[in-house]
Amino acid sequence: MSPDCSHPSWPRAETPLTAAIMAGRWIRSAAVDDARGRHWRANPDPRRHSARSGQPGSLYAGAAGIVLFFLELAAATGHEAYLEDARQGARYLAETWQDEADLSLYHGLTGMVFALAEAGWATGDESFAVAARAGADRVVRSLRRTGDGVGWTGDPAQRGDGGIILGLLHASGILGVTAYEEVAVEAGARVADQVVPGHRFGENGCPDLPEDAVTPGFLSGTAGTAFLLARLYGVTRDKRFLDAARRGADFVRTISTVTGEDALVPHHVPQGRGLHYLGLCSGSAGVARMFYELYRVTGDQGDLDWVRRLASGIVRSGVPNRQTPGFWNVACQCCGSAGLLELFVGLWAATGEEHYRQFAGTLAGNLIGRATGHDDGGYRWYQAYRRLRPWEVTADTGYMIGAAGIGAALLHLDAAGPAAEPRRLILMPDNPFPAIPVPASALRRSQ
């Protein structure tokens, strides 16, 4: 007989904040200290393998993402111990960034630069900012010039050049180096010249997809590339970026399934029109970011209407209590409930509409209910990260794939509280929603 999981024997957290603290406890149990600083094992459970994708220092699943989580946990609780966790992790990044060959945002050096810059901002430790500048300088030096422009990987998606460009835009602002923005704009011009930006992904290293498949999603698809171009339009007001972003958005709209007020995006076309992911990486939560960025930089209500349609499609799907082919046994930021939580907290912060925060609360309650803490060692989330291998159930510590990112999403909901207690959130460079989650309408009422 299988155990009854409906009444867990361990104490259950009552709030998003306490659940995030419990996640921090488990991540701390995975800490490894050496002469370079502190990093964290991907999965401290000796009976299971990690599903981690990326290097030990990566933003996606390594030390960079966990540093961000501890920075936010310190801000939420005021506890110096969490800030020290972040400092030690940033020390590790400062000592190891030169060993990283991958330049990308989520899996490589650009993500390490992002975390170091945020750590320097939060702690006041100038050595982290120095390391971040040195890492960004190396990214800039690695730029390759070809006949049709400049770039790094040849891939315009956020997993490639798109993510690097977004990282450089962030670095330019937080580190005060205008040259990073100049390089980002120059590299973005090459992406803007494509007929439909990002319209070529089946052939780029996706073994589970047919070679002729086109992915309209966010981290590896057209929507993410269109987001990048909308961001560049907001920075430069150069209409070629807006025109290119519109081409990508029009393609996504054309292939989407619209029913009444709801919209769902296919995972890939033409073969996967009926497979609708809901998460950040390849589904509605990510595509909604693209449309919101277009609304943010243009004020076009039609773009905001599409954000609402995508959000409505998520709610009407029955998740999180119902699993669908595009929303399976997964809790993380990349493709699960935490990524949806980020969307609905962001929508509440942008619009002030309470039904978005209410659904965010539903998602948080589901995440808290799914957490495992049987050994009093803190919270972790066991999940089938890879949809096509549902038997591979793991619990990881990292940001996009594990407890750090889930904890961060819970902290973002916790911050969406009274207007008198706002705090700055650390949002990824591809998150367009307010970094201080207090709607303008709430601020006006508090005056």
Side-chain angles (χ1 to χ4, degrees):
M1 177 181 294
S2 61
D4 180 4
C5 296
S6 62
H7 300 287
S9 59
W10 56 88
R12 180 63 59 194
E14 295 183 356
T15 69
L17 177 58
T18 56
I21 291 170
M22 293 289 284
R25 179 188 297 180
W26 184 66
I27 295 168
R28 282 177 134 188
S29 75
V32 177
D33 290 324
D34 57 30
R36 301 170 297 176
R38 179 173 301 160
H39 62 284
W40 294 266
R41 287 173 287 156
N43 187 340
D45 187 340
R47 297 168 297 174
R48 297 178 185 269
H49 296 293
S50 169
R52 180 164 74 183
S53 174
Q55 299 301 315
S58 75
L59 194 61
Y60 195 88
I66 294 175
V67 166
L68 299 181
F69 167 65
F70 279 120
L71 288 174
E72 294 210 84
L73 193 56
T77 64
H79 292 169
E80 178 68 25
Y82 297 133
L83 198 59
E84 183 61 20
D85 287 319
R87 285 193 190 97
Q88 291 301 321
R91 275 191 56 221
Y92 175 84
L93 297 175
E95 291 291 329
T96 61
W97 68 264
Q98 297 182 66
D99 302 328
E100 182 54 67
D102 188 326
L103 298 178
S104 68
L105 174 64
Y106 277 109
H107 296 283
L109 177 57
T110 301
M112 298 171 78
V113 169
F114 177 80
L116 280 164
E118 289 288 347
W121 180 275
T123 66
D125 190 327
E126 180 61 23
S127 68
F128 298 149
V130 169
R133 291 189 192 95
D137 288 346
R138 182 181 145 205
V139 172
V140 169
R141 289 195 304 270
S142 301
L143 192 71
R144 296 186 297 176
R145 300 186 180 274
T146 63
D148 59 349
V150 298
W152 294 269
T153 68
D155 185 345
Q158 295 208 30
R159 67 183 180 184
D161 284 7
I164 296 172
I165 293 169
L166 287 171
L168 286 176
L169 289 175
H170 174 272
S172 178
I174 197 170
L175 299 174
V177 182
T178 56
Y180 300 156
E181 179 181 309
E182 294 168 359
V183 170
V185 171
E186 184 181 6
R190 181 185 187 185
V191 179
D193 286 339
Q194 297 183 22
V195 176
V196 178
H199 193 237
R200 56 181 189 88
F201 292 100
E203 61 188 19
N204 282 343
C206 296
D208 295 327
L209 294 179
E211 287 191 2
D212 61 341
V214 176
T215 54
F218 196 67
L219 293 187
S220 299
T222 307
T225 307
F227 173 96
L228 163 71
L229 293 161
R231 176 64 55 83
L232 287 169
Y233 171 71
V235 169
T236 66
R237 292 294 155 177
D238 187 331
K239 194 170 181 294
R240 63 179 168 166
F241 291 122
L242 179 59
D243 290 343
R246 287 286 180 214
R247 293 197 300 271
D250 288 346
F251 169 72
V252 173
R253 272 195 295 262
T254 299
I255 64 172
S256 294
T257 299
V258 178
T259 306
E261 298 299 315
D262 306 341
L264 294 170
V265 182
H267 179 265
H268 60 282
V269 292
Q271 304 89 347
R273 282 190 175 273
L275 177 59
H276 301 124
Y277 275 35
L278 300 181
L280 170 66
C281 59
S282 303
S284 299
V287 175
R289 289 189 181 188
M290 179 266 289
F291 281 110
Y292 187 78
E293 181 70 4
L294 276 168
Y295 168 71
R296 192 182 69 82
V297 298
T298 67
D300 190 322
Q301 289 293 322
D303 296 316
L304 184 59
D305 176 67
W306 262 82
V307 178
R308 296 184 188 281
R309 286 178 178 273
L310 291 161
S312 179
I314 292 171
V315 174
R316 291 183 191 275
S317 73
V319 301
N321 296 319
R322 174 176 177 260
Q323 292 186 3
T324 71
F327 190 84
W328 59 103
N329 176 26
V330 65
C332 64
Q333 285 261 2
C334 183
C335 41
S337 299
L340 301 189
L341 180 53
E342 294 280 13
L343 170 65
F344 284 89
V345 169
L347 281 174
W348 175 80
T351 68
E353 296 177 18
E354 186 61 26
H355 63 101
Y356 289 132
R357 185 162 61 170
Q358 289 175 354
F359 190 69
T362 298
L363 292 162
N366 178 267
L367 282 168
I368 294 170
R370 291 184 57 183
T372 296
H374 62 281
D375 55 0
D376 198 33
Y379 276 4
R380 74 226 67 172
W381 284 263
Y382 288 98
Q383 61 179 358
Y385 169 68
R386 295 181 174 88
R387 185 181 73 90
L388 297 180
R389 297 182 228 168
W391 57 89
E392 291 184 358
V393 176
T394 64
D396 283 74
T397 56
Y399 197 98
M400 294 300 290
I401 192 176
I406 296 170
L410 292 168
L411 290 174
H412 295 170
L413 177 59
D414 174 72
E421 301 176 8
R423 66 175 185 264
R424 174 181 177 267
L425 310 182
I426 299 177
L427 302 182
M428 295 298 177
D430 57 19
N431 189 324
F433 294 110
I436 299 178
V438 180
S441 58
L443 288 174
R444 285 194 294 270
R445 289 194 302 269
S446 67
Q447 293 176 350

